[in-house]
Amino acid sequence: MTQHPKALAHLRIEPGSNPKLAKIKPREVDFLGERSTAEARLFEDIEAINALQDKLYAEGRRSLLVVLQGTDTAGK
């Protein structure tokens, strides 16, 4: 997967920090850049995740637990 410095800086919470969740705007997506660029990155990341998943499956020795959180209408 490619590193996206703006997104990582925006989403990362440093260990030991005390983030104020009330100040975080969950709908803010400006840090992703232009829509077409963000969509291209998304597809690159999807391909990379698929390749990693194939390797994990082929190895047959480990498991992966993914925890997702969303509201009742998040489509989980």
Side-chain angles (χ1 to χ4, degrees), residues 3-68:
Q3 295 283 328
H4 310 301
K6 274 185 161 181
L8 291 176
H10 181 79
L11 299 171
R12 182 176 173 90
I13 297 174
E14 293 296 328
S17 66
N18 188 14
K20 304 295 182 203
L21 297 181
K23 293 183 178 183
I24 297 174
K25 299 176 184 175
R27 294 180 188 253
E28 184 181 331
V29 294
D30 294 339
F31 62 90
L32 294 173
E34 294 293 321
R35 182 181 184 96
S36 59
T37 305
E39 286 177 353
R41 285 188 207 148
L42 173 65
F43 290 114
E44 288 174 12
D45 290 345
I46 288 170
E47 289 177 8
I49 289 169
N50 282 335
L52 291 170
Q53 190 275 335
D54 288 344
K55 289 179 182 179
L56 183 65
Y57 179 78
E59 183 184 66
R61 296 179 57 197
R62 303 178 207 195
S63 298
L64 176 66
L65 173 65
V66 178
V67 179
L68 303 173

